Amino acid sequence: GEEITTQYRGPNDGNVLRRSDFPKYWMFECSCIRCQDPTELDTHSSTIRCIQCREPNLYPRDSNMRSDWECRSCGFIVEHNIPLGITIKLEERLYKKSYSDTPVSWETFLDE
């Protein structure tokens, strides 16, 4: 077979959002190196602040899409659906923000 070079999802979304679309819309599980790396090639596109210690170090334990997430600072572990829900809510809020919002407004959003 030929190598697939089609971009199915944009590169800006983290794997927490991207990977679930592949089987849903295109009937395959992606196994590229980014999808297989919990840190997304050290970009940490899906990494969020830990619910317990608030450090930005909570990301999947491994490459399984339904893997628990673990904080690499305090060891807190949470099921994958919790960070997914947080990410979806933050994305919705991000899309509602205006580019003309004040810097203070953007800093407050980023601190949450």
Side-chain angles (χ1 to χ4, degrees), residues 32-84:
C32 75
I33 57 173
R34 178 180 173 185
C35 285
Q36 295 305 306
D37 180 4
T39 69
E40 300 181 54
L41 303 177
D42 289 327
T43 63
H44 289 274
S45 294
S46 296
T47 299
I48 61 173
R49 286 184 187 264
C50 178
I51 299 163
Q52 185 167 304
C53 74
R54 303 290 297 152
E55 290 295 318
N57 241 346
L58 184 67
Y59 56 92
R61 295 178 97 176
D62 57 45
S63 64
N64 182 320
M65 281 184 8
R66 289 171 179 59
S67 171
D68 289 342
W69 287 41
E70 179 179 1
C71 177
R72 295 340 189 258
S73 294
C74 72
F76 179 73
I77 296 172
V78 64
E79 291 181 6
H80 78 281
N81 60 326
I82 302 298
L84 174 61

Side-chain angles (χ1 to χ4, degrees), residues 1-3 5 17 20 36 39-40 47 52 54 56-57 60 70 83 86 89 95 98 101:
E2 292 183 37
E3 179 179 1
T5 57
L17 299 174
S20 62
Q36 295 305 306
T39 69
E40 300 181 54
T47 299
Q52 185 167 304
R54 303 290 297 152
N57 241 346
E70 179 179 1
I86 291 169
K89 286 179 185 176
Y95 287 138
S98 170
D101 282 356

